[in-house]
Each structure stands twice: as C-alpha cells, then as structure tokens.
Coordinates of all heavy atoms in Angstrom, one line a residue:
G1 N -247.2 102.6 207.4 CA -246.5 103.9 207.2 C -247.2 104.7 206.1 O -247.6 105.9 206.2
S2 N -247.5 104.1 205.0 CA -248.1 104.8 203.8 C -249.6 105.1 204.0 O -250.0 106.3 203.7 CB -247.9 104.0 202.5 OG -248.8 102.9 202.6
N3 N -250.3 104.4 204.7 CA -251.7 104.7 205.0 C -251.7 105.9 206.0 O -252.6 106.8 205.7 CB -252.5 103.5 205.7 CG -252.6 102.4 204.7 OD1 -252.7 102.7 203.5 ND2 -252.8 101.2 205.3
L4 N -250.8 105.9 207.0 CA -250.8 107.1 207.9 C -250.4 108.4 207.1 O -251.0 109.4 207.4 CB -249.9 106.9 209.0 CG -249.7 107.8 210.0 CD1 -251.1 107.9 210.7 CD2 -248.6 107.5 211.0
F5 N -249.5 108.3 206.2 CA -249.1 109.4 205.3 C -250.3 109.8 204.5 O -250.5 111.1 204.4 CB -247.9 109.1 204.5 CG -247.5 110.1 203.6 CD1 -246.6 111.2 204.1 CD2 -247.9 110.2 202.3 CE1 -246.3 112.2 203.3 CE2 -247.5 111.3 201.4 CZ -246.7 112.2 201.9
D6 N -251.0 109.0 203.9 CA -252.1 109.2 203.1 C -253.2 110.0 203.9 O -253.8 111.0 203.4 CB -252.8 108.1 202.4 CG -251.7 107.4 201.3 OD1 -250.9 108.1 200.8 OD2 -252.1 106.3 200.9
I7 N -253.5 109.6 205.1 CA -254.5 110.2 205.9 C -254.1 111.6 206.5 O -254.8 112.6 206.5 CB -254.8 109.1 206.9 CG1 -255.8 108.1 206.4 CG2 -255.7 109.9 208.0 CD1 -256.0 106.9 207.4
C8 N -252.8 111.7 206.8 CA -252.3 112.8 207.6 C -251.8 113.9 206.6 O -251.8 115.0 206.8 CB -251.0 112.5 208.4 SG -251.8 111.5 209.9
V9 N -251.5 113.5 205.3 CA -250.9 114.4 204.4 C -251.7 114.5 203.1 O -252.1 115.5 202.7 CB -249.3 114.2 204.0 CG1 -248.9 115.1 203.0 CG2 -248.6 114.2 205.2
G10 N -252.2 113.2 202.6 CA -252.7 113.2 201.3 C -254.2 113.8 201.3 O -254.7 114.2 200.3
L11 N -254.9 113.6 202.5 CA -256.3 114.2 202.5 C -256.3 115.7 203.0 O -257.0 116.4 202.2 CB -257.1 113.4 203.5 CG -257.4 111.9 203.1 CD1 -258.2 111.2 204.2 CD2 -258.3 111.9 201.8
P12 N -255.6 116.0 203.9 CA -255.8 117.6 204.3 C -255.1 118.5 203.4 O -255.6 119.6 203.2 CB -255.2 117.5 205.7 CG -254.3 116.4 205.9 CD -254.8 115.3 204.9
I13 N -254.0 118.2 202.7 CA -253.3 119.2 202.0 C -254.1 119.7 200.8 O -254.3 120.8 200.6 CB -251.8 118.7 201.5 CG1 -251.1 118.3 202.7 CG2 -251.2 119.5 200.4 CD1 -250.1 119.4 203.1
P14 N -254.8 118.7 199.8 CA -255.6 119.3 198.9 C -256.9 120.1 199.5 O -257.0 121.2 198.9 CB -256.2 118.0 198.2 CG -255.2 117.0 198.6 CD -254.6 117.3 199.9
W15 N -257.4 119.8 200.5 CA -258.5 120.5 201.2 C -258.0 121.9 201.6 O -258.7 122.9 201.3 CB -259.1 119.8 202.2 CG -260.0 118.8 201.8 CD1 -260.5 118.4 200.7 CD2 -260.7 117.7 202.7 NE1 -261.4 117.4 200.7 CE2 -261.6 116.9 201.9 CE3 -260.6 117.5 204.0 CZ2 -262.2 115.8 202.4 CZ3 -261.3 116.5 204.6 CH2 -262.0 115.6 203.8
L16 N -256.8 122.0 202.2 CA -256.3 123.3 202.7 C -256.0 124.1 201.4 O -256.2 125.4 201.5 CB -254.9 123.0 203.4 CG -255.2 122.5 204.8 CD1 -253.8 122.1 205.6 CD2 -255.9 123.6 205.8
I17 N -255.4 123.5 200.4 CA -255.2 124.3 199.2 C -256.5 124.9 198.6 O -256.6 126.1 198.2 CB -254.4 123.4 198.1 CG1 -252.9 123.2 198.6 CG2 -254.4 124.2 196.8 CD1 -252.3 122.1 197.8
Y18 N -257.5 124.0 198.5 CA -258.7 124.5 197.9 C -259.4 125.6 198.8 O -260.0 126.5 198.3 CB -259.7 123.2 198.0 CG -261.1 123.6 197.3 CD1 -261.3 123.7 196.0 CD2 -262.2 123.8 198.4 CE1 -262.7 124.1 195.6 CE2 -263.4 124.1 197.9 CZ -263.6 124.2 196.6 OH -264.9 124.7 196.1
V19 N -259.4 125.4 200.0 CA -259.9 126.3 200.9 C -259.3 127.7 201.0 O -259.8 128.8 200.7 CB -260.1 125.9 202.4 CG1 -260.4 127.1 203.3 CG2 -261.1 124.8 202.5
G20 N -257.9 127.5 200.7 CA -257.0 128.8 200.7 C -257.2 129.6 199.5 O -257.2 130.7 199.5
L21 N -257.4 128.8 198.3 CA -257.6 129.5 197.1 C -259.0 130.1 196.9 O -259.2 131.0 196.2 CB -257.3 128.6 195.9 CG -255.9 128.0 195.7 CD1 -255.7 127.0 194.6 CD2 -255.0 129.3 195.4
N22 N -260.1 129.5 197.5 CA -261.3 129.8 197.2 C -261.9 130.7 198.6 O -263.1 131.0 198.6 CB -262.3 128.7 197.0 CG -261.8 128.0 195.9 OD1 -262.0 128.7 194.8 ND2 -261.5 126.7 195.9
S23 N -261.1 131.1 199.5 CA -261.6 131.7 200.7 C -261.3 133.3 200.6 O -261.8 134.1 201.3 CB -261.1 131.2 202.0 OG -261.7 129.9 202.0
F24 N -260.2 133.6 199.9 CA -259.7 134.9 199.9 C -259.8 135.7 198.6 O -260.2 135.0 197.6 CB -258.2 134.9 200.4 CG -257.9 134.2 201.6 CD1 -257.3 133.0 201.8 CD2 -258.3 135.0 202.8 CE1 -257.2 132.3 202.8 CE2 -258.1 134.2 204.1 CZ -257.5 133.0 204.0
G25 N -259.6 136.9 198.7 CA -259.9 137.8 197.5 C -261.1 138.6 197.4 O -261.9 138.5 198.4
P26 N -261.3 139.4 196.4 CA -262.5 140.2 196.4 C -263.8 139.4 196.3 O -264.8 139.9 196.8 CB -262.4 141.1 195.1 CG -261.3 140.3 194.2 CD -260.6 139.4 195.2
N27 N -263.9 138.3 195.6 CA -265.1 137.6 195.6 C -264.8 136.1 196.0 O -264.7 135.2 195.2 CB -265.7 137.6 194.2 CG -266.0 138.9 193.7 OD1 -266.6 139.7 194.5 ND2 -265.7 139.2 192.4
P28 N -264.8 135.9 197.3 CA -264.4 134.5 197.8 C -265.7 133.5 197.5 O -266.8 133.9 197.5 CB -264.3 134.6 199.3 CG -265.0 135.8 199.7 CD -265.0 136.8 198.4
V29 N -265.3 132.4 196.9 CA -266.1 131.3 196.6 C -266.8 130.7 198.0 O -268.0 130.5 197.9 CB -265.6 130.2 195.7 CG1 -266.6 129.1 195.5 CG2 -265.0 130.7 194.4
L30 N -265.9 130.6 198.9 CA -266.3 129.9 200.1 C -266.7 131.0 201.3 O -265.9 132.0 201.3 CB -265.4 129.0 200.6 CG -265.0 127.9 199.8 CD1 -263.7 127.0 200.5 CD2 -266.3 126.9 199.8
T31 N -267.6 130.8 201.9 CA -268.0 131.7 203.2 C -267.7 130.9 204.5 O -267.5 129.7 204.4 CB -269.4 132.3 203.1 OG1 -270.3 131.1 203.3 CG2 -269.6 133.0 201.9
S32 N -267.8 131.6 205.6 CA -267.4 130.7 206.9 C -268.4 129.6 207.1 O -268.1 128.6 207.7 CB -267.5 131.8 208.0 OG -268.8 132.3 208.0
A33 N -269.7 129.8 206.6 CA -270.6 128.7 206.7 C -270.2 127.4 205.9 O -270.6 126.2 206.2 CB -272.1 129.1 206.2
D34 N -269.5 127.7 204.7 CA -269.1 126.5 203.9 C -268.0 125.6 204.5 O -267.8 124.6 204.2 CB -268.6 127.1 202.5 CG -269.8 127.7 201.7 OD1 -270.9 127.2 201.9 OD2 -269.4 128.7 201.0
Y35 N -267.4 126.2 205.5 CA -266.2 125.4 206.1 C -266.7 124.2 206.8 O -266.0 123.2 207.0 CB -265.4 126.2 207.1 CG -264.5 127.4 206.4 CD1 -264.5 128.7 207.0 CD2 -264.0 127.1 205.1 CE1 -263.9 129.8 206.3 CE2 -263.4 128.2 204.5 CZ -263.3 129.4 205.2 OH -262.6 130.5 204.5
W36 N -267.8 124.2 207.2 CA -268.5 123.1 207.9 C -269.4 122.3 207.1 O -270.0 121.3 207.4 CB -269.4 123.6 209.1 CG -268.7 124.6 210.1 CD1 -268.8 125.9 210.1 CD2 -267.7 124.1 211.0 NE1 -267.9 126.3 211.1 CE2 -267.2 125.3 211.6 CE3 -267.3 122.9 211.4 CZ2 -266.4 125.3 212.7 CZ3 -266.2 122.8 212.4 CH2 -265.8 124.1 213.0
A37 N -269.5 122.6 205.8 CA -270.3 121.8 205.0 C -269.6 121.2 203.9 O -270.0 121.2 202.7 CB -271.5 122.8 204.3
I38 N -268.4 120.6 204.0 CA -267.7 119.8 203.0 C -268.3 118.5 202.8 O -268.5 117.8 203.7 CB -266.1 119.7 203.5 CG1 -265.6 121.0 203.4 CG2 -265.4 118.9 202.4 CD1 -264.2 121.0 203.9
Q39 N -269.0 118.4 201.6 CA -269.7 117.1 201.3 C -268.8 116.2 200.6 O -268.0 116.3 199.7 CB -270.9 117.5 200.4 CG -271.8 116.4 200.2 CD -273.0 116.8 199.5 OE1 -273.0 117.9 198.9 NE2 -274.0 116.0 199.2
V40 N -268.8 114.9 201.1 CA -268.0 113.9 200.5 C -269.1 112.8 200.3 O -269.8 112.4 201.1 CB -267.0 113.4 201.4 CG1 -266.3 112.1 200.8 CG2 -266.0 114.3 202.0
T41 N -269.2 112.4 198.9 CA -270.1 111.5 198.4 C -269.5 110.2 198.1 O -268.2 110.1 197.9 CB -270.8 112.0 197.1 OG1 -269.9 112.1 196.2 CG2 -271.5 113.4 197.4
S42 N -270.3 109.2 198.2 CA -269.7 107.9 197.8 C -270.3 107.3 196.6 O -270.4 106.1 196.3 CB -269.9 106.8 198.8 OG -271.3 106.6 199.2
S43 N -270.8 108.1 195.7 CA -271.3 107.8 194.5 C -270.3 107.0 193.6 O -269.1 107.6 193.5 CB -271.9 108.9 193.6 OG -270.9 109.9 193.3
G44 N -270.5 105.9 192.9 CA -269.5 105.3 192.2 C -268.6 104.4 193.1 O -267.7 103.8 192.5
M45 N -268.8 104.2 194.4 CA -267.9 103.5 195.2 C -267.8 102.0 194.8 O -266.9 101.4 194.8 CB -268.3 103.6 196.6 CG -267.4 102.9 197.6 SD -265.8 103.7 197.7 CE -266.2 105.2 198.3
F46 N -269.0 101.5 194.5 CA -269.0 100.0 193.9 C -268.1 99.8 192.8 O -267.4 98.8 192.6 CB -270.4 99.5 193.8 CG -270.4 98.0 193.5 CD1 -270.2 97.1 194.4 CD2 -270.6 97.6 192.1 CE1 -270.3 95.8 194.2 CE2 -270.6 96.3 191.7 CZ -270.5 95.5 192.8
C47 N -268.2 100.9 191.8 CA -267.3 100.7 190.6 C -265.8 100.8 191.0 O -264.9 100.0 190.5 CB -267.6 101.9 189.7 SG -269.2 101.7 188.8
Y48 N -265.5 101.7 191.9 CA -264.0 101.8 192.3 C -263.6 100.4 193.0 O -262.5 100.0 192.7 CB -263.9 102.8 193.3 CG -264.2 104.3 192.9 CD1 -264.8 105.2 193.8 CD2 -264.1 104.6 191.6 CE1 -265.1 106.5 193.5 CE2 -264.5 106.0 191.2 CZ -265.1 106.8 192.1 OH -265.4 108.1 191.7
I49 N -264.4 99.9 193.7 CA -264.0 98.7 194.4 C -264.0 97.6 193.5 O -263.0 96.7 193.5 CB -265.0 98.2 195.6 CG1 -265.0 99.2 196.8 CG2 -264.8 97.0 196.0 CD1 -266.0 99.1 197.8
L50 N -264.9 97.5 192.4 CA -264.8 96.5 191.4 C -263.6 96.6 190.4 O -262.9 95.6 190.3 CB -266.1 96.5 190.6 CG -266.3 95.6 189.5 CD1 -266.5 94.1 190.2 CD2 -267.4 95.8 188.6
M51 N -263.3 98.0 190.1 CA -262.1 98.1 189.4 C -260.7 97.7 190.3 O -259.9 97.0 189.5 CB -261.9 99.5 189.0 CG -262.8 100.0 187.9 SD -262.4 101.7 187.3 CE -262.7 102.6 188.6
L52 N -260.6 98.1 191.5 CA -259.5 97.7 192.3 C -259.4 96.2 192.4 O -258.3 95.6 192.2 CB -259.5 98.3 193.6 CG -259.3 99.8 193.5 CD1 -259.5 100.5 194.8 CD2 -257.9 100.3 193.0
F53 N -260.5 95.5 192.7 CA -260.6 94.0 192.7 C -260.0 93.3 191.4 O -259.3 92.3 191.5 CB -261.8 93.6 193.2 CG -261.8 92.1 193.5 CD1 -261.2 91.5 194.7 CD2 -262.5 91.3 192.6 CE1 -261.2 90.2 194.9 CE2 -262.5 89.8 192.8 CZ -261.8 89.3 194.0
S54 N -260.6 93.9 190.3 CA -260.1 93.4 189.0 C -258.7 93.5 188.9 O -258.0 92.6 188.2 CB -261.0 94.1 187.9 OG -262.3 94.0 188.0
M55 N -258.2 94.7 189.1 CA -256.8 94.9 189.0 C -256.0 94.1 190.0 O -254.9 93.5 189.5 CB -256.3 96.5 189.4 CG -256.8 97.4 188.4 SD -256.7 99.1 188.9 CE -254.9 99.3 189.4
L56 N -256.4 93.7 191.0 CA -255.7 92.8 191.9 C -255.6 91.4 191.3 O -254.7 90.7 191.3 CB -256.4 92.8 193.3 CG -255.9 91.7 194.3 CD1 -254.5 92.3 194.8 CD2 -256.9 91.7 195.5
V57 N -256.8 90.9 190.8 CA -256.7 89.6 190.2 C -256.0 89.6 189.0 O -255.1 88.6 188.8 CB -258.2 89.2 189.7 CG1 -258.3 87.9 188.9 CG2 -259.1 89.1 191.0
F58 N -255.9 90.6 188.1 CA -255.1 90.7 186.9 C -253.5 90.7 187.3 O -252.8 89.9 186.7 CB -255.3 92.0 186.1 CG -254.6 92.1 184.9 CD1 -254.9 91.4 183.8 CD2 -253.5 92.8 184.7 CE1 -254.2 91.4 182.6 CE2 -252.8 93.0 183.7 CZ -253.0 92.2 182.6
I59 N -253.1 91.5 188.3 CA -251.8 91.5 188.7 C -251.4 90.0 189.3 O -250.3 89.6 189.1 CB -251.5 92.5 189.9 CG1 -251.8 94.0 189.2 CG2 -250.4 92.4 190.6 CD1 -250.8 94.3 188.1
F60 N -252.2 89.5 190.0 CA -252.1 88.0 190.6 C -251.8 87.1 189.5 O -250.9 86.4 189.5 CB -253.1 87.7 191.5 CG -252.9 86.3 192.0 CD1 -251.9 86.4 193.2 CD2 -253.6 85.2 191.8 CE1 -251.6 84.9 193.8 CE2 -253.2 84.0 192.4 CZ -252.3 83.9 193.4
V61 N -252.6 87.2 188.5 CA -252.4 86.3 187.3 C -251.1 86.6 186.5 O -250.5 85.7 186.1 CB -253.6 86.3 186.4 CG1 -253.4 85.6 185.1 CG2 -254.8 85.8 187.0
L62 N -250.9 87.9 186.4 CA -249.6 88.3 185.8 C -248.4 87.9 186.6 O -247.4 87.2 185.9 CB -249.6 89.9 185.6 CG -248.4 90.5 184.9 CD1 -248.4 90.0 183.4 CD2 -248.4 92.0 185.0
I63 N -248.5 88.0 187.7 CA -247.3 87.4 188.7 C -247.1 86.0 188.5 O -245.9 85.6 188.3 CB -247.4 87.9 190.2 CG1 -247.3 89.3 190.3 CG2 -246.4 87.2 191.1 CD1 -247.7 90.0 191.7
M64 N -248.2 85.3 188.5 CA -248.1 83.9 188.3 C -247.6 83.5 186.9 O -246.8 82.6 186.8 CB -249.5 83.2 188.5 CG -249.9 83.0 189.9 SD -251.6 82.4 190.2 CE -251.6 80.9 189.1
S65 N -248.0 84.2 185.8 CA -247.6 83.9 184.4 C -246.1 84.3 184.3 O -245.4 83.7 183.4 CB -248.5 84.6 183.4 OG -248.2 86.0 183.6
L66 N -245.6 85.2 185.1 CA -244.2 85.5 185.0 C -243.3 84.8 186.1 O -242.2 85.1 186.2 CB -243.9 87.0 185.2 CG -244.6 88.0 184.1 CD1 -244.5 89.4 184.5 CD2 -243.9 87.7 182.7
Q67 N -243.9 83.7 186.5 CA -243.3 82.8 187.4 C -242.7 83.4 188.6 O -241.6 83.1 189.1 CB -242.2 82.0 186.7 CG -242.7 81.2 185.5 CD -241.6 80.5 184.6 OE1 -240.4 80.9 184.7 NE2 -242.0 79.6 183.8
W68 N -243.6 84.3 189.3 CA -243.2 84.9 190.5 C -242.0 85.8 190.4 O -241.3 86.0 191.5 CB -243.2 83.8 191.6 CG -244.5 83.1 191.8 CD1 -244.6 81.9 191.2 CD2 -245.6 83.6 192.3 NE1 -246.0 81.5 191.5 CE2 -246.6 82.5 192.1 CE3 -246.1 84.6 193.0 CZ2 -247.9 82.5 192.6 CZ3 -247.4 84.8 193.5 CH2 -248.3 83.7 193.3
K69 N -241.6 86.3 189.3 CA -240.5 87.3 189.2 C -240.9 88.6 188.8 O -241.7 88.8 187.9 CB -239.5 86.6 188.1 CG -238.9 85.3 188.4 CD -238.0 84.8 187.4 CE -237.5 83.4 187.8 NZ -236.7 83.0 186.6
L70 N -240.4 89.5 189.6 CA -240.7 91.0 189.2 C -239.8 91.3 188.0 O -238.8 91.0 187.8 CB -240.3 91.9 190.4 CG -241.1 91.6 191.8 CD1 -240.4 92.5 192.7 CD2 -242.5 91.9 191.4
S71 N -240.5 92.0 187.0 CA -239.8 92.6 185.8 C -240.3 93.9 185.4 O -241.2 94.3 186.0 CB -240.1 91.5 184.8 OG -241.5 91.5 184.4
K72 N -239.8 94.4 184.5 CA -240.0 95.7 183.9 C -241.4 95.7 183.3 O -242.2 96.6 183.3 CB -239.0 96.2 183.0 CG -237.7 96.7 183.7 CD -236.7 97.2 182.7 CE -235.3 97.5 183.2 NZ -234.3 98.1 182.5
I73 N -241.7 94.6 182.7 CA -243.0 94.3 182.1 C -244.2 94.4 183.1 O -245.1 95.1 182.9 CB -243.1 93.0 181.3 CG1 -242.1 93.0 180.1 CG2 -244.5 92.8 180.8 CD1 -241.9 91.7 179.4
M74 N -244.0 93.7 184.3 CA -245.0 93.7 185.2 C -245.1 95.2 185.8 O -246.2 95.7 186.1 CB -244.7 92.7 186.3 CG -245.8 92.6 187.4 SD -245.6 91.3 188.5 CE -244.3 92.0 189.4
G75 N -244.0 95.9 186.1 CA -244.0 97.2 186.5 C -244.8 98.1 185.5 O -245.5 99.0 186.0
A76 N -244.6 98.0 184.2 CA -245.4 98.7 183.2 C -246.8 98.6 183.3 O -247.6 99.4 183.2 CB -244.7 98.5 181.9
F77 N -247.1 97.2 183.4 CA -248.6 96.9 183.5 C -249.2 97.5 184.7 O -250.4 98.0 184.7 CB -248.7 95.3 183.5 CG -248.8 94.7 182.2 CD1 -247.9 93.7 181.7 CD2 -249.9 94.9 181.3 CE1 -247.9 93.2 180.5 CE2 -249.9 94.4 180.0 CZ -249.0 93.5 179.6
M78 N -248.5 97.4 185.8 CA -249.1 97.9 187.0 C -249.2 99.5 187.0 O -250.3 100.0 187.3 CB -248.3 97.6 188.2 CG -248.3 96.1 188.5 SD -247.1 95.6 189.7 CE -247.9 96.2 191.3
L79 N -248.2 100.2 186.3 CA -248.4 101.6 186.1 C -249.5 101.9 185.1 O -250.4 102.8 185.4 CB -247.0 102.1 185.5 CG -247.0 103.7 185.4 CD1 -247.3 104.4 186.7 CD2 -245.7 104.0 184.6
V80 N -249.6 101.2 184.0 CA -250.8 101.4 183.3 C -252.1 101.3 183.8 O -253.1 102.0 183.6 CB -250.6 100.6 181.8 CG1 -251.8 100.5 181.1 CG2 -249.4 101.0 181.1
L81 N -252.2 100.1 184.6 CA -253.5 99.9 185.2 C -254.0 100.9 186.2 O -254.9 101.4 186.3 CB -253.4 98.4 185.9 CG -253.5 97.2 185.2 CD1 -253.3 96.0 186.0 CD2 -254.9 97.2 184.5
Y82 N -252.8 101.4 187.0 CA -253.1 102.5 187.9 C -253.4 103.8 187.2 O -254.4 104.5 187.8 CB -251.8 102.8 188.8 CG -252.1 103.8 189.8 CD1 -252.9 103.4 190.9 CD2 -251.5 105.1 189.8 CE1 -253.2 104.4 191.9 CE2 -251.7 105.8 190.9 CZ -252.6 105.5 191.8 OH -252.7 106.5 192.8
V83 N -253.0 104.2 186.0 CA -253.3 105.3 185.3 C -254.6 105.1 184.7 O -255.5 106.2 184.8 CB -252.3 105.5 184.2 CG1 -252.8 106.7 183.2 CG2 -251.0 106.0 184.8
I84 N -255.1 104.0 184.3 CA -256.4 103.7 183.8 C -257.5 103.9 185.0 O -258.4 104.5 184.8 CB -256.5 102.3 183.1 CG1 -255.8 102.4 181.9 CG2 -258.0 102.0 183.0 CD1 -255.7 101.0 181.2
F85 N -257.0 103.3 186.1 CA -258.0 103.4 187.3 C -258.1 104.9 187.6 O -259.4 105.4 187.9 CB -257.5 102.8 188.6 CG -258.1 103.1 189.8 CD1 -259.4 102.5 190.0 CD2 -257.5 103.9 190.8 CE1 -260.1 102.8 191.3 CE2 -258.2 104.3 192.1 CZ -259.5 103.7 192.2
L86 N -257.0 105.8 187.6 CA -257.1 107.2 188.0 C -258.1 107.9 187.1 O -258.9 108.7 187.5 CB -255.7 107.7 188.0 CG -254.9 107.5 189.3 CD1 -253.5 108.2 189.2 CD2 -255.6 107.8 190.5
I87 N -257.9 107.6 185.7 CA -258.6 108.3 184.7 C -260.1 107.9 184.8 O -261.0 108.9 184.9 CB -258.1 108.0 183.4 CG1 -256.8 108.7 183.0 CG2 -259.1 108.4 182.2 CD1 -256.1 108.2 181.8
V88 N -260.4 106.7 185.0 CA -261.8 106.2 185.2 C -262.5 106.8 186.4 O -263.6 107.2 186.5 CB -261.9 104.7 185.0 CG1 -263.4 104.2 185.4 CG2 -261.6 104.3 183.7
A89 N -261.6 106.9 187.5 CA -262.2 107.3 188.8 C -262.4 108.8 188.6 O -263.4 109.1 189.3 CB -261.1 107.1 189.9
C90 N -261.6 109.5 188.0 CA -262.0 111.0 187.9 C -263.2 111.2 187.0 O -263.9 112.2 187.2 CB -260.6 111.6 187.3 SG -259.3 111.8 188.5
L91 N -263.2 110.4 185.9 CA -264.3 110.5 185.1 C -265.8 110.3 185.7 O -266.8 110.9 185.6 CB -264.3 109.6 183.8 CG -263.2 110.0 182.8 CD1 -263.1 109.0 181.7 CD2 -263.6 111.4 182.3
I92 N -265.7 109.1 186.5 CA -266.9 108.9 187.3 C -267.1 110.0 188.6 O -268.2 110.4 188.7 CB -266.6 107.5 188.1 CG1 -266.8 106.5 187.2 CG2 -267.9 107.3 189.2 CD1 -266.5 104.9 187.6
G93 N -266.1 110.4 189.1 CA -266.2 111.4 190.3 C -266.7 112.7 189.7 O -267.4 113.4 190.4
F94 N -266.3 113.1 188.4 CA -266.8 114.4 187.8 C -268.1 114.2 187.1 O -268.6 115.3 186.5 CB -265.8 115.0 186.9 CG -264.5 115.6 187.7 CD1 -263.3 115.1 187.3 CD2 -264.7 116.4 188.7 CE1 -262.1 115.6 187.9 CE2 -263.6 116.9 189.3 CZ -262.3 116.4 188.9
G95 N -268.7 113.0 187.2 CA -269.9 112.7 186.6 C -269.9 112.7 185.0 O -271.0 112.6 184.3
V96 N -268.8 112.6 184.3 CA -268.7 112.3 183.0 C -269.0 110.9 182.4 O -269.7 110.8 181.5 CB -267.3 112.8 182.5 CG1 -267.1 112.5 181.0 CG2 -267.0 114.1 182.8
L97 N -268.6 110.0 183.4 CA -268.8 108.6 183.0 C -269.8 108.0 184.2 O -269.4 108.0 185.3 CB -267.5 107.9 183.1 CG -267.6 106.3 182.7 CD1 -268.2 106.1 181.3 CD2 -266.2 105.7 182.9
P98 N -270.9 107.6 184.1 CA -271.8 107.2 185.1 C -271.4 105.7 185.5 O -271.0 105.0 184.6 CB -273.2 107.1 184.4 CG -272.9 106.9 183.0 CD -271.6 107.6 182.6
C99 N -271.6 105.4 186.7 CA -271.3 104.0 187.3 C -272.5 103.2 187.0 O -273.5 103.7 187.6 CB -270.9 104.1 188.7 SG -270.6 102.5 189.3
P100 N -272.4 102.2 186.3 CA -273.7 101.5 186.0 C -274.2 100.6 187.2 O -275.3 100.2 187.2 CB -273.2 100.5 184.9 CG -271.8 100.3 185.0 CD -271.2 101.6 185.6
F101 N -273.5 100.5 188.2 CA -273.8 99.8 189.4 C -274.3 100.7 190.6 O -274.5 100.1 191.7 CB -272.8 98.8 189.9 CG -272.1 98.0 188.8 CD1 -270.9 98.2 188.3 CD2 -273.0 96.9 188.4 CE1 -270.5 97.4 187.3 CE2 -272.5 96.2 187.4 CZ -271.3 96.4 186.8
G102 N -274.2 101.8 190.5 CA -274.8 102.7 191.7 C -274.9 104.0 191.3 O -274.9 105.1 191.7

C-alpha cells in the first residue's frame, strides 16, 4: 500500500508542482523541450544505501536491547535517525556534502 502511494502520489506531485511553477508567467524557466529532459541522477546512491542499512542495523540492535518492546524511546530514536537521514540526503543531493564513496 505505501509503496504504491509513494510511486503514484509521492513522485508525480512534486514534479507537477515544479513544472507548474516554472512553466508559466512572463519568463518561464522551463520550455516545451525541457519537459522531455527531466534528469534523475544517482550520485550518492551508495551513501544512501549505506546510511539506510546502518539505520536498519541500529534499529535492530535497539529493539533487541529493549527486549522486543516498542516504546517512546525507540520511536524517538527512529524519528531522529530519519531526520538525520533526510538532512544528509538533502546535503548530498544538493552537492553541499560530497559522498566519499561515489
């Protein structure tokens, strides 16, 4: 369910908003030729996979250390890890922080 939602809503909506905001007005940033040239790069992909795998291992160890019980502490750790991942992924994506592996 959530993967289908991500693909059908999470991917197209931001692109539609970007195209809508940059295609109209007196000086449009995008022209009709640009609609076919949306470039998606995979730079930093290894760093993203490494971070997500590290988070998975950390969460597994955390769940084991809390004796397989969900708690507010574990929820807070998961939220903090996700926010850290988003920040680092954005920094890598915008070229502020280089990925040392790719």
Side-chain angles (χ1 to χ4, degrees):
S2 68
N3 290 337
L4 183 63
F5 178 81
D6 290 343
I7 291 170
C8 293
V9 176
L11 290 175
I13 299 260
W15 282 349
L16 286 173
I17 291 171
Y18 177 79
V19 169
L21 291 175
N22 292 303
S23 296
F24 303 105
N27 298 318
V29 176
L30 296 175
T31 62
S32 61
D34 293 327
Y35 295 138
W36 303 104
I38 295 176
Q39 184 178 12
V40 178
T41 63
S42 63
S43 61
M45 186 63 66
F46 185 74
C47 286
Y48 302 146
I49 292 170
L50 185 64
M51 283 190 300
L52 288 173
F53 185 74
S54 301
M55 288 171 53
L56 178 68
V57 170
F58 181 77
I59 292 297
F60 185 73
V61 170
L62 181 66
I63 291 172
M64 284 178 42
S65 68
L66 293 174
Q67 299 174 348
W68 303 98
K69 295 180 184 173
L70 297 175
S71 66
K72 290 182 182 181
I73 293 171
M74 188 172 67
F77 272 118
M78 292 173 77
L79 181 64
V80 167
L81 284 175
Y82 185 66
V83 168
I84 290 171
F85 170 76
L86 287 178
I87 291 170
V88 172
C90 287
L91 291 175
I92 291 172
F94 290 128
V96 175
L97 182 66
C99 177
F101 304 108

